[in-house]
């Protein structure tokens, strides 16, 4: 394969929406990926949290291959048995509710917003409050909900009815709530925003306020969901329940799928004809989703995420003691961030050169989210690379 020609094709034929590294990934297995030249990399940010079980997990691959031979797509004016099964699995693992299936995080956020608007319409409630620093996706409503102005620039006029307040600031939130408030939507750990963790008291109080004032509480678990933080869903660390939860990314173990779960009474607001998604809940996507649940159970991946997460955290703390450039380590389970006292991009790029894939967000936060089955030896190797990079370059 001619890498330069491929890059030229991208330049000529693919819209330039992404900043890409000159790396052509052709294969993946577990925590590793291979480039077109046969070099392997340790992937500690697999698919931006999509490949939560690692690459080519055998349980997911087997389920997809089996389903491929049966039927790929069943339109939603008929039943497909896997959609019902996956909906049941999600509800049994979370709270008693009903599921709507779609294909991505932003599409799930759109569904949650539409649900909140329709639910609130009879009560003249339509406003949705979200947090500064949040990220909810790139469709027009999701990007308006996102509490970072840079993502909205140039796209006006934007949908109305979205208010943003500082994250982890209860007073600011209380001041914005009014009789038009239909929903409060937030990530429990802001991923793209720099691994900012919501406080326990803050979340408890938001739950109390929502119940008291008849406001929907929506948790965006697109990145935190599916065992990432050491619980199946991050809200389970907080001992509260949302009214609506949005899932995507690793729900399909690499296969595109999105979903929202809403408490039963609220879910029934989305009556026939109010919302739809042609590809949503296809047998193939649901086969992948069911395989993800099975793989997590069989592989004891929740325990692994807790144990390896604690080990990784400890190792990162050691690096922090060694290098002044590291200001803080944040996160839960296998969703960790290192806030630096300087730009993170050179470190991220030096790691890539040495064969370690991580992410840099918010210009100075390194985001590290290895797959749920990550091994101690892989963590040690990744820490070794980070150590070398920090020692040599900073
Ligand atoms: C918390 C959160 N919500 C929503 C989204 C949007 O998901 P998607 O890119 O699948 O539309 C993302 C993507 O990074 C995310 O992290």
């Amino acid at each position: 394969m001619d890498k330069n020609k491929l890059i030229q094709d991208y330049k000529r034929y693919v819209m330039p929406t992404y900043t890409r590294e000159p790396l052509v990934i052709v294969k993946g297995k577990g925590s590793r990926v291979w480039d077109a030249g046969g070099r392997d990399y340790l992937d500690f940010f697999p698919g931006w949290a999509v490949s939560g079980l690692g690459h080519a997990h055998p349980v997911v691959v087997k389920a997809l291959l089996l389903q491929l031979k049966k039927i790929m797509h069943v339109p939603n004016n008929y039943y497909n048995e896997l959609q019902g099964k996956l909906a049941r699995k999600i509800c049994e693992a979370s709270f008693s509710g009903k599921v709507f299936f779609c294909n991505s995080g932003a599409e799930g956020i759109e569904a949650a917003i539409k649900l909140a608007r329709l639910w609130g319409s009879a009560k003249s409630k339509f406003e949705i409050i979200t947090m500064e620093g949040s990220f909810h996706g790139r469709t027009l409503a999701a990007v308006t909900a996102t509490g970072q102005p840079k993502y909205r620039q140039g796209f006006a006029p934007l949908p109305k009815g979205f208010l943003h307040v500082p994250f982890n600031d209860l007073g600011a939130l209380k001041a914005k709530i009014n009789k038009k408030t239909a929903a409060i939507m937030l990530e429990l750990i802001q991923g793209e925003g720099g691994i900012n963790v919501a406080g326990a008291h803050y979340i408890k109080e938001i739950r109390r306020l929502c119940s008291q004032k008849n406001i929907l509480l929506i948790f965006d678990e697109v990145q935190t969901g599916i065992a990432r933080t050491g619980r199946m869903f991050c809200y389970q660390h907080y001992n509260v329940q949302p009214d609506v939860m949005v899932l995507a990314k690793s729900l399909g173990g690499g296969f595109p799928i999105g979903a929202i779960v809403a408490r039963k009474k609220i879910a029934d607001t989305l009556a026939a004809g109010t919302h739809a998604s042609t590809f949503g809940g296809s047998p193939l996507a649901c086969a992948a989703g069911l395989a993800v649940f099975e793989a997590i159970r069989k592989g004891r991946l929740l325990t692994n995420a807790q144990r390896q997460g604690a080990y990784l955290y400890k190792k990162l703390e050691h690096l922090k003691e060694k290098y002044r450039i590291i200001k803080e380590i944040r996160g839960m389970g296998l969703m960790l961030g290192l806030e630096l006292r300087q730009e993170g991009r050179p470190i991220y790029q030096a790691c890539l050169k040495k064969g370690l894939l991580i992410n840099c967000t918010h210009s100075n936060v390194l985001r590290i989210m290895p797959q749920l089955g990550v091994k101690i030896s892989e963590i040690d190797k990744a820490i070794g690379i980070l150590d070398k990079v920090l020692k040599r370059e900073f």
Side-chain angles (χ1 to χ4, degrees):
M1 195 211 54
D2 183 341
K3 183 166 149 185
N4 290 331
K5 185 170 178 308
L6 178 70
I7 292 174
Q8 283 313 314
D9 279 351
Y10 265 71
K11 279 207 173 111
R12 170 70 184 82
Y13 299 111
V14 179
M15 290 193 196
T17 45
Y18 305 97
T19 309
R20 295 178 201 270
E21 303 301 336
L23 179 63
V24 183
I25 294 179
V26 294
K27 199 175 78 172
K29 182 92 191 121
S31 298
R32 294 160 79 197
V33 290
W34 282 262
D35 72 9
R39 182 179 177 198
D40 75 313
Y41 297 78
L42 195 51
D43 192 356
F44 267 41
F45 198 61
W48 293 62
V50 163
S51 310
L53 301 186
H55 300 281
H57 193 287
V59 175
V60 179
V61 171
K62 188 176 163 198
L64 279 171
L65 288 175
L66 271 175
Q67 189 54 43
L68 256 178
K69 288 183 193 157
K70 286 189 194 164
I71 189 161
M72 263 193 260
H73 184 73
V74 171
N76 277 311
N77 57 321
Y78 304 113
Y79 291 94
N80 91 64
E81 59 172 330
L82 299 185
Q83 187 177 135
K85 271 190 187 166
L86 182 58
R88 174 197 274 263
K89 265 270 180 271
I90 293 172
C91 291
E92 284 174 356
S94 56
F95 51 91
S96 173
K98 291 186 183 179
V99 180
F100 170 81
F101 286 104
C102 52
N103 308 283
S104 68
E107 211 191 324
I109 294 293
E110 289 280 340
I113 290 169
K114 280 184 72 180
L115 172 58
R117 285 272 171 94
L118 204 53
W119 173 84
S121 61
K123 308 174 251 307
S124 301
K125 285 166 170 269
F126 59 90
E127 278 182 1
I128 297 180
I129 304 180
T130 66
M131 305 302 146
E132 288 174 10
S134 61
F135 185 81
H136 298 295
R138 302 290 197 143
T139 58
L140 215 48
V143 91
T144 310
T146 291
Q148 301 188 61
K150 67 178 180 190
Y151 291 119
R152 298 195 289 272
Q153 259 162 34
F155 295 115
L158 297 165
K160 291 197 172 72
F162 291 90
L163 309 176
H164 306 102
V165 293
F167 187 52
N168 268 332
D169 183 339
L170 202 56
L173 177 64
K174 279 183 183 164
K176 275 280 193 297
I177 292 175
N178 63 78
K179 58 181 190 315
K180 291 177 288 185
T181 310
I184 295 171
M185 177 163 77
L186 74 156
E187 302 154 84
L188 292 156
I189 304 177
Q190 292 185 334
E192 201 276 341
I195 312 289
N196 306 313
V197 182
H201 175 71
Y202 175 65
I203 294 302
K204 275 223 167 75
E205 275 302 294
I206 295 182
R207 176 65 275 178
R208 195 186 59 75
L209 280 168
C210 285
S211 304
Q212 188 190 59
K213 296 183 184 291
N214 201 21
I215 293 168
L216 296 187
L217 176 56
I218 306 172
F219 287 152
D220 177 347
E221 293 241 21
V222 166
Q223 202 168 134
T224 51
I226 318 297
R228 174 53 54 195
T229 65
R231 302 294 296 263
M232 199 59 192
F233 306 104
C234 188
Y235 78 80
Q236 291 164 336
H237 289 284
Y238 289 83
N239 228 0
V240 297
Q241 259 184 25
D243 299 302
V244 183
M245 171 170 71
V246 185
L247 300 171
K249 293 213 188 257
S250 58
L251 176 59
F255 197 87
I257 183 168
I260 69 168
V261 199
R263 287 200 297 113
K264 274 199 190 98
K265 262 192 171 167
I266 298 154
D268 287 338
T269 309
L270 284 186
T274 55
H275 195 53
S277 174
T278 300
F279 288 113
S282 79
L284 214 50
C286 291
L290 284 163
V292 165
F293 275 91
E294 190 191 334
I296 289 173
R297 184 182 57 79
K298 274 192 176 159
R300 299 176 187 276
L301 295 182
L302 270 169
T303 315
N304 201 63
Q306 290 157 14
R307 205 170 31 214
Q308 313 299 56
Y311 182 77
L312 177 57
Y313 192 95
K314 197 175 71 192
K315 289 279 171 180
L316 292 173
E317 277 291 340
H318 289 162
L319 289 184
K320 181 177 162 247
E321 282 159 23
K322 251 172 114 174
Y323 301 105
R324 217 195 82 81
I325 178 186
I326 303 175
K327 192 173 164 198
E328 195 181 26
I329 318 286
R330 296 193 288 264
M332 283 187 202
L334 286 171
M335 182 168 182
L336 297 175
L338 277 80
E339 185 180 339
L340 306 173
R341 294 182 204 276
Q342 65 161 67
E343 286 278 307
R345 193 159 170 76
I347 297 177
Y348 144 79
Q349 281 180 320
C351 285
L352 190 150
K353 272 197 192 135
K354 290 192 181 304
L356 172 67
L357 308 185
I358 54 171
N359 170 259
C360 174
T361 187
H362 246 241
S363 83
N364 70 332
V365 179
L366 298 179
R367 199 163 24 155
I368 302 183
M369 296 172 61
Q371 57 117 344
L372 302 176
V374 68
K375 299 186 184 105
I376 292 285
S377 58
E378 292 167 337
I379 294 177
D380 286 342
K381 191 170 168 196
I383 291 290
I385 294 175
L386 249 178
D387 195 358
K388 265 194 200 134
V389 165
L390 290 167
K391 193 182 294 170
R392 191 167 308 168
E393 318 231 351
F394 306 93

